Amino acid sequence: MQGIANRTLLSATSPDQGSGLPVFNPASATFLASVPITDTQQLNQAVERAHQAQLAWAKLPAKQRSEILFAWYQLLLDNQQDLARLMTLEQGKPLAEALGEVLYGASFIQWFAEEAKRAYGETIPAPGADKRIMTIKQPVGVTCAITPWNFPIAMITRKAAPALAAGCSMLIKPAEDTPLSALAIAELAYQSGIPKDLLQVVIGETPQQVGEVFCKHPLIRKLSFTGSTAVGKQLLEQVASDVKRCSLELGGNAPFIVFDDADIDAAVAGAIASKFRNAGQTCVCANRFYVHDAVYEEFVDKFAQAASALKVGDGLSPEVAIGPLINQAAKDKVLSLIAEALELGAQLVGTPPSHSGLLLAPHVLRDVSHDMAIVRQEIFGPVAPIIRFSDEQALIAMANDSEYGLASYFYSRDIQRVFRVAEALEYGMVGVNEGIISTEVAPFGGVKHSGLGREGARQGLDEYLNLKYLCLGGQVTHD
């Protein structure tokens, strides 16, 4: 029997490559498939179908919705190897990382299958003896999601699973670079018993066309977006006219701080994991490093040595740790930031080998200053700029000197400093002596220009529920 990856490729590929959205392997530039495109009329019809499906889905007992979601979760586990290979083909990340993402994505389905049964209301003591006050939670209705290419499965399940658990329907627009993973997990959702009209994947003629329908269609009551801050702001303006609920997970510029009392070997291991996962193409990866003067040389030497040992290449090769960047524009931006930093006095540690195509070796830059563009901008590539510091207060000021506030990291063994710094950092998430913080059981999200709302954890379910207050008057009291 064909695996889900092959079935997705066969069903997506149209006879004429030019008749749909072409999908390419970033490691080899080979054509993979052509995905059918949805026009505006079809988009509007999809919303109508999602509305009708949602009304029926919301009537199901929470336990029944939970059981169906558990079946979807199990199908992802059963097809994890096939899904991982498909993801590597279209996105480029190493196969081991892709497999980790499949399991990570599945964990959200499992979590919210459990949370579906826990959308609790409450009773509230009333101000009068003849009243009873209570709250209930109800699904917001039709929802939609716009998801990025860097985590083509997990960013979908992190949104779709709570929506379905809450009793909502969802339309998903995956990134143009990585639609195949979305189509594959949607097919598994249908096999699990989720109605096709309840969870739909749409590929529009342009991102703007889909965004306009998502933001303006009156039946859609919630938009969830993961992507750039610039696009997030535009979407927020558009949904405001219809007062839709909106969740935004936007850009990041995560500081990674190493204090003089840190365990340097642990800090290096955490930095490698945080910085170079997915070739540095994650919104929560370490973007700029601040290292205390007293341990600067030791950290730089050990970190650069560990980074140079990472093999770069096609993600399908088992020994590869860093795959290609997603496209040429992404690589050009990273190379431009590196060149500018070197011109301004930063020093390249070692001599990374040159790589053709979209491959790029890890770059470690020392003697970087806080005001360089490579520090101020989100790099989204395998580059680590390292800055010296000596004063904690000045360090906190630099770490917080960003419009972004998604993730941050620091290493210290001083318990007083741990709480002092964690509370001072203006970020939605703080990793203390830990370089990987994402998990389905904790609320994921940022502050400032990094977004609104939270995904995962019990808070993630509330993003898709309306709270309704019931006041019951005329209640009979007994002596």
Side-chain angles (χ1 to χ4, degrees):
M1 186 174 67
Q2 291 179 336
I4 187 64
N6 287 335
R7 294 201 303 275
T8 301
L9 288 169
L10 288 172
S11 63
T13 303
S14 48
D16 176 10
Q17 179 179 331
S19 66
L21 174 72
V23 184
F24 296 91
N25 182 334
S28 62
T30 55
F31 171 76
L32 295 174
S34 187
V35 179
I37 289 175
T38 308
D39 62 31
T40 300
Q41 181 180 0
Q42 292 170 326
L43 279 172
N44 286 316
Q45 291 171 346
V47 177
E48 296 282 350
R49 295 196 306 272
H51 172 62
Q52 294 301 321
Q54 188 272 325
L55 295 176
W57 179 254
K59 293 178 181 178
L60 293 181
K63 183 178 181 181
Q64 190 172 345
R65 295 199 300 269
S66 173
E67 291 169 348
I68 295 173
L69 285 171
F70 268 118
W72 187 23
Y73 160 73
Q74 188 60 52
L75 283 172
L76 260 68
L77 297 188
D78 294 343
N79 291 272
Q80 58 185 278
Q81 297 291 340
D82 214 24
L83 290 169
R85 180 176 173 80
L86 180 63
M87 189 190 306
T88 296
L89 283 171
E90 70 170 344
Q91 201 274 340
K93 66 177 60 177
L95 196 57
E97 279 192 30
L99 180 59
E101 184 187 335
V102 173
L103 298 177
Y104 177 53
S107 72
F108 287 103
I109 303 175
Q110 180 189 38
W111 174 265
F112 286 109
E114 297 163 344
E115 289 297 292
K117 298 176 288 185
R118 300 178 186 132
Y120 300 140
E122 61 182 350
T123 57
I124 301 170
D130 62 336
K131 294 182 177 63
R132 300 292 183 271
I133 293 177
M134 61 188 295
T135 63
I136 60 173
K137 294 180 178 179
Q138 296 178 303
V140 300
V142 181
T143 69
C144 61
I146 300 175
T147 60
W149 51 262
N150 57 344
F151 290 94
I153 286 180
M155 294 304 97
I156 290 175
T157 59
R158 199 162 75 179
K159 301 175 189 299
L164 299 181
C168 300
S169 58
M170 175 166 275
L171 294 97
I172 300 164
K173 192 207 85 64
E176 286 76 9
D177 291 302
T178 56
L180 301 177
S181 294
L183 293 169
I185 64 170
E187 173 58 33
L188 294 177
Y190 306 148
Q191 292 180 22
S192 74
I194 294 171
K196 288 188 175 182
D197 288 341
L198 192 77
L199 182 69
Q200 301 179 56
V201 176
V202 296
I203 310 293
E205 297 166 345
T206 64
Q208 293 78 12
Q209 170 224 17
V210 179
E212 184 172 358
V213 173
F214 279 5
C215 292
K216 295 184 178 180
H217 199 294
L219 289 177
I220 294 179
R221 300 313 311 156
K222 163 70 186 277
L223 165 70
S224 180
F225 170 75
T226 297
S228 73
T229 296
V231 174
K233 290 178 179 179
Q234 294 174 4
L235 293 171
L236 189 60
E237 289 180 356
Q238 293 178 46
V239 300
S241 63
D242 199 32
V243 198
K244 298 185 193 297
R245 292 182 62 170
C246 191
S247 297
L248 302 173
E249 195 263 284
L250 308 177
N253 188 355
F256 190 105
I257 303 162
V258 182
F259 286 101
D260 53 344
D261 64 327
D263 179 331
I264 300 303
D265 290 336
V268 168
I272 291 292
S274 177
K275 174 69 256 185
F276 297 115
R277 184 168 61 110
N278 199 18
Q281 300 173 116
T282 84
C283 54
V284 295
C285 77
N287 198 67
R288 49 198 165 113
F289 293 77
Y290 298 93
V291 181
H292 194 279
D293 268 328
V295 295
Y296 189 87
E297 298 299 337
E298 179 185 2
F299 177 86
V300 169
D301 289 345
K302 290 183 175 180
F303 180 60
Q305 184 177 358
S308 66
L310 300 173
K311 184 173 178 58
V312 180
D314 189 326
L316 292 177
S317 300
E319 70 276 11
V320 165
I322 297 180
L325 298 184
I326 191 63
N327 54 43
Q328 189 61 48
K331 184 174 181 179
D332 290 344
K333 174 195 171 183
V334 175
L335 292 176
S336 175
L337 289 171
I338 294 171
E340 181 181 354
L342 294 175
E343 288 178 6
L344 294 174
Q347 299 294 317
L348 181 64
V349 182
T351 307
S354 59
H355 287 102
S356 61
L358 300 179
L359 299 175
L360 184 65
H363 285 60
V364 177
L365 303 180
R366 60 172 294 149
D367 303 326
V368 175
S369 63
H370 175 70
D371 57 354
M372 290 182 181
I374 204 166
V375 173
R376 315 295 295 180
Q377 296 184 26
E378 189 173 22
I379 300 171
F380 243 59
V383 182
I386 308 179
I387 306 157
R388 293 178 183 267
F389 80 90
S390 57
D391 178 75
E392 182 180 308
Q393 284 189 323
L395 173 277
I396 293 298
M398 287 191 293
N400 289 337
D401 183 23
S402 172
E403 66 178 359
Y404 301 109
L406 189 57
S408 57
Y409 309 86
F410 72 90
Y411 277 70
S412 172
R413 288 182 283 196
D414 182 333
I415 189 63
Q416 292 182 335
R417 173 179 281 157
V418 163
F419 282 99
R420 184 172 65 244
V421 173
E423 292 173 2
L425 289 171
E426 297 171 353
Y427 293 83
M429 299 175 287
V430 182
V432 183
N433 297 321
E434 178 58 56
I436 300 294
I437 58 176
S438 298
T439 171
E440 77 278 11
V441 306
F444 186 104
V447 297
K448 298 192 286 189
H449 288 199
S450 286
L452 303 168
R454 292 295 183 268
E455 294 184 322
R458 62 178 178 82
Q459 292 87 353
L461 189 67
D462 285 338
E463 296 284 342
Y464 296 90
L465 291 167
N466 286 326
L467 183 66
K468 181 179 287 186
Y469 150 49
L470 307 180
C471 180
L472 287 70
Q475 299 300 303
V476 177
T477 58
H478 298 280
D479 294 333

